Amino acid sequence: MRIPIIMGQPLHLWLGIILFFLVVFQIASAKKLLPVPFKWHRRTGYVVLILALLHGAIAIGLNNSVFTL
């Protein structure tokens, strides 16, 4: 199975960038640097978990030749 290429870069790279920004958002909202309700902090936590699992599964699949670029 092939990993999609988006704007010249593979999908797992974009997922990693999105995850980085979501984790920064999570930390900033937990430290009260951003005034975000807890409801949104919890929701983005679930999104981070799902995207991290997908990102990791793609990386493992690429490493074990399950996926190709």
Side-chain angles (χ1 to χ4, degrees):
M1 185 187 307
R2 292 182 56 87
I3 299 296
I5 304 296
I6 302 168
M7 295 189 328
Q9 300 298 326
L11 176 65
H12 66 282
L13 177 92
W14 294 111
L15 289 177
I17 292 170
I18 292 168
L19 279 171
F20 173 75
F21 286 118
L22 284 174
V23 168
V24 169
F25 173 79
Q26 283 290 91
I27 292 169
S29 63
K31 294 283 188 179
K32 304 290 186 204
L33 299 173
L34 294 174
V36 178
F38 182 72
K39 170 177 76 171
W40 287 104
H41 179 75
R42 185 175 4 174
R43 288 180 184 175
T44 55
Y46 291 134
V47 171
V48 165
L49 176 65
I50 292 168
L51 286 180
L53 289 173
L54 182 62
H55 178 71
I58 291 173
I60 290 170
L62 281 169
N63 195 34
N64 293 326
S65 300
V66 175
F67 301 121
T68 60
L69 292 176

